Amino acid sequence: MHTAVDQERGVRLWAWILALLVHALFVAVLVLGVSWQRHPDPAPLVAELWSDIPKPATVTEVTPPQPVTPEPQAQPAPVPTLAPPRVEPAPAPRPEPKPVLPATPSAADIALEKKKEKAAQEAKRQADQQKREKMLAEQLRQERQEALKEERNDAKLRADAEVRRRQAEQLAQNARAAQAAAVDRYKLAIINKIRGNTEVPEGVQAGLTLEVDVTILPDGGVLEPVRIVKSSGDPRYDQAVLRGILRSQPLPLPSDVALRQLFRVTHLQLHHEK
């Protein structure tokens, strides 16, 4: 506060000093101007006497010098008076707000607040329960889908296995049928060859049948003795057939080794026809 007042006093002092200097300079300029405008003193006259009056000489009028008017000097610019700085008044201290004491809740407010809390807890419990039920339902749905997927896969596997089994059975059946057909075909060839080599004696009754088991070697030879499984009832026919079997060596066999093994012991039925 004192510093602002001292500054204001200093500014005013300098303003007064500058004003005095300006006025003194102005007075000095006026004095010099007046002294320059004064006329000089006239020169003294001198008279001479002549016996003969000479012709009057032309007198040249001397023009007195004109007073020199001094040029007006520029007035110095007035020094601006500095306005004292504006001092803002210190703000008045604000009154401290009085602390607001919380209102004491009434019994109704307390009961309402408890009711709200209980309702919020119940809503949260129900939301959690719904969330758990939803998660459980989703888990069950996924498990059912997985079980259904596994069941479909199992059904597909069972169906594929059944198809493969049937295909294998069909192949085996076809192989057995082909094998049986081949065996029947070679058996018929063996029987026809034996018939061609059998000489049936005169007087043998037609319609007789002899059943025998013939052990056939891999090269088509016959291993003796040939076993009679069922006699035809006529020893003459039986012996004639046995002799025909031995004369028919080598018996015809298939080229397939596995199929040839089936003819290791061959059961033959030889019918006598006229």
Side-chain angles (χ1 to χ4, degrees):
M1 188 72 179
H2 291 289
T3 302
V5 174
D6 293 340
Q7 289 180 355
E8 183 178 358
R9 288 177 181 175
V11 170
R12 290 181 179 177
L13 179 61
W14 281 106
W16 281 104
I17 292 173
L18 290 175
L20 290 176
L21 290 175
V22 170
H23 283 82
L25 181 61
F26 182 69
V27 171
V29 170
L30 290 178
V31 171
L32 289 176
V34 173
S35 62
W36 285 348
Q37 292 179 359
R38 289 181 181 176
H39 298 285
D41 294 336
L45 299 176
V46 180
E48 293 183 0
L49 297 176
W50 299 81
S51 58
D52 294 326
I53 301 171
K55 294 180 180 181
T58 305
V59 180
T60 303
E61 184 179 358
V62 179
T63 304
Q66 296 294 328
V68 180
T69 304
E71 295 180 1
Q73 296 183 356
Q75 297 292 332
V79 179
T81 303
L82 299 177
R86 183 178 179 182
V87 180
E88 295 290 340
R94 295 181 179 179
E96 294 183 0
K98 295 181 180 180
V100 180
L101 298 177
T104 303
S106 61
D109 294 337
I110 294 174
L112 181 61
E113 191 66 26
K114 288 183 177 180
K115 186 177 180 181
K116 288 181 179 179
E117 290 180 359
K118 187 176 180 180
Q121 291 176 358
E122 181 63 22
K124 184 177 182 301
R125 187 189 65 78
Q126 292 181 0
D128 293 341
Q129 181 67 21
Q130 292 178 358
K131 185 177 180 181
R132 287 192 298 270
E133 291 177 355
K134 187 176 180 181
M135 290 176 62
L136 182 59
E138 180 65 20
Q139 183 178 358
L140 292 175
R141 186 184 67 81
Q142 292 181 358
E143 289 178 356
R144 282 196 297 268
Q145 287 183 349
E146 290 295 331
L148 226 91
K149 185 177 179 181
E150 291 180 0
E151 186 177 352
R152 290 196 192 101
N153 292 337
D154 293 343
K156 186 175 183 302
L157 292 175
R158 288 193 298 270
D160 294 343
E162 182 65 19
V163 170
R164 288 193 297 270
R165 186 186 65 80
R166 290 180 180 179
Q167 289 176 351
E169 285 184 357
Q170 186 65 36
L171 290 175
Q173 186 177 356
N174 295 339
R176 288 192 298 269
Q179 188 180 68
V183 169
D184 291 342
R185 186 170 62 251
Y186 277 96
K187 275 187 176 182
L188 183 59
I190 292 171
I191 290 171
N192 289 334
K193 189 174 183 180
I194 292 173
R195 280 179 179 175
N197 293 318
T198 300
E199 295 179 358
V200 180
E202 291 294 335
V204 175
Q205 185 181 357
L208 299 177
T209 302
L210 174 65
E211 295 184 17
V212 294
D213 284 340
V214 182
T215 302
I216 303 174
L217 300 176
D219 58 354
V222 177
L223 183 64
E224 295 185 49
V226 176
R227 189 172 72 90
I228 297 176
V229 176
K230 184 177 181 180
S231 175
S232 64
D234 191 341
R236 293 176 299 170
Y237 179 72
D238 295 346
Q239 292 301 319
V241 171
L242 293 177
R243 289 190 295 267
I245 292 173
L246 295 177
R247 283 195 293 264
S248 299
Q249 298 181 92
L251 298 175
L253 293 175
S255 58
D256 183 76
V257 177
L259 189 59
R260 187 179 295 181
Q261 295 295 327
L262 299 177
F263 291 88
R264 177 66 177 167
V265 177
T266 305
H267 182 77
L268 299 175
Q269 290 181 353
L270 299 165
H271 301 284
H272 174 51
E273 297 176 356
K274 285 291 186 178

